Amino acid sequence: MTAHISLYDLLQDSAHQHGDRRAFAQGAKTVTYSELLEDVRLTAKRLAYNGVQAGDRVAVYAGEQYETIVTFLAINARGAILVPINPQLKEQQARHILLDSGARLLISTGPRLRRIEAALTDIELDTWSLEKLQPDNLNTPPDTAPVNPHSTVTDSDPAAILYTSGSTGRPKGVVLSQRNLVSGAYSVAHYLRLQADDVILGILPLSFDAGLSQLTTALVSGACYAPLDFLQAGEVPTFCEAHGVTVITGVPPLWMQLASVQWPQPAGARIRCFANTGGHMPPPLLEKLKRAFPNALPYLMYGLTEAFRSTYLPPEAAVTRPDSIGKAVPNADIRVLRPNGTECAAGEHGELVHRGAFVTLGYWNDPELTAQRFRPWVRPDRQILRTETAVWSGDIVYRDQDDYLYFVARSDDMIKTSGYRVSPTEVEEVLFALDEVTEAAAFGVPHPQLGEAIIISLFTHPHRQITTPALIKLCRDKLPTYMVPLHVSLHDSPLPRNPNGKIDRKQLKQQFSEFFSTPLTVTE
């Protein structure tokens, strides 16, 4: 039996148990677990022969193709540190990640390397195209290069650096250990009840923790990973039907797109599980997805890159508590704390604090920020002197009497207006009740009298008419006066996204940063 220290170990185990089963499917290409393991071993040997050592940072800037998956796992087999770069990022963003991580090697496709070559001129690193790692393109003695020096890899060693989208500044790297990746895969696979006959759609970027989780949970369960780089939402049902997809995880903006397209009955009926992460799913959207996937169980999840996955709401609770983010996932301890570190009472707002196997190693190259967010957790048993680390999420939540958790807002997203603190989610949910509204984002901008004024940006259904006065009236009917938006901005295209597919509130706020530099009255 293989000791499950790394992702490579998970791959070896699945190849032993499910060697003839599909591990990867994309278009006409299908690969078994035995074939995937052989390709990963060969690629790991090539990396070793060309000097890649344990602890080296190796960046990968490529789409979700088979060669990318093989390269990810080969880097892990070598004990090197994977630095996935979202393929949507442009040259200056990629340059920042390469410089900040200190990557010694960048692996990409030929076209993408040419796209960013101007930003690489003064960076000391090797660049390889994915094609260089293919058979016959590297002169690698097959029996002289080690595959994976297990003696130098423990589960506390860094395995990957995931760069956040930079919604609060330049992207910062979160360092994940081998233990984070493996324990997280087991936890999610357990509560999603994944099986070897599942086909998991890979539709989120692999540079995003939830996207990488699609791959890792497939490895731990022996399921098939079926990635899709799509341009139009209408492509997704066709792909799912062709590949027999049974499990989908998405973020709210993606779900809004997928709920708006027609799902063929066989494709929709085959989905047995769909999961949401990366933001609150409005109840009307959840109902649309239930109709599209009549046999599926919905899982509403909450997580943060610094601790991967924190809570989930099981399907049976989604009926009675659709607004809850649930309870702690297996192998996590979640607390709601006041600023002084004491526990909040039921119904009292506080900061979500996470301890356990998924708490990452901190921020790369940023000890000050690491010290702010990752703090010692002193065990109540004083005979055990050693402390562990917990992560303070920055998210405001509360518990109900049955210990179910509810998200209020990011502490830095909370709108401070007229002396009140307002959760953007509370304002958005009122508008999501309208069939015409496809996307909504509430945010605060400076205002000379109010401190911050509430603005709503909306993307509405193109074939349905709705007016700004009607929207303002709805808010006045449903919300306290201080929560009524002072301005509603209607968009005829989807709201801007950050590279992880989430609505880019920072960009929207910048657009309206001087909107109220002089007093404005909303006209009805």
Side-chain angles (χ1 to χ4, degrees), residues 7-8 11 36 40 43-44 47 58-87 107 130 133 159-160 162 181 205-208 211-212 215-216 219 225:
L7 295 183
Y8 179 66
L11 172 59
L36 175 59
V40 169
T43 302
L47 291 172
V58 180
V60 181
Y61 181 49
E64 295 187 53
Q65 60 199 70
Y66 179 65
E67 293 78 10
T68 304
I69 305 308
V70 170
T71 302
F72 273 34
L73 296 173
I75 292 167
N76 188 262
R78 281 297 302 147
I81 301 174
L82 169 68
V83 184
I85 301 178
N86 191 319
I107 301 173
L130 279 175
L133 288 171
L162 300 187
L181 292 174
L206 286 165
S207 56
F208 181 32
L212 186 58
L215 173 61
T216 62
L219 291 175
Y225 176 70

Side-chain angles (χ1 to χ4, degrees), residues 335-344 350-351 353 375-377 392:
R335 307 293 177 97
V336 184
L337 302 184
R338 304 182 182 101
N340 64 5
T342 57
E343 294 224 32
C344 292
E351 185 171 356
V353 177
R375 306 178 203 166
W377 181 272
W392 269 247

Side-chain angles (χ1 to χ4, degrees), residues 305-317:
T305 308
E306 292 83 353
F308 176 58
R309 189 73 61 242
S310 294
T311 70
Y312 81 103
L313 187 70
E316 57 271 19

Side-chain angles (χ1 to χ4, degrees), residues 114-152:
R114 289 191 289 274
R115 182 193 307 170
I116 66 170
E117 60 184 354
L120 305 179
T121 53
D122 59 344
I123 302 178
E124 293 186 11
L125 83 166
D126 294 331
T127 57
W128 294 358
S129 67
L130 279 175
E131 294 79 13
K132 186 176 181 180
L133 288 171
Q134 302 312 299
D136 304 324
N137 288 344
L138 276 181
N139 182 21
T140 307
D143 298 320
T144 60
V147 174
N148 186 29
H150 277 288
S151 60
T152 63

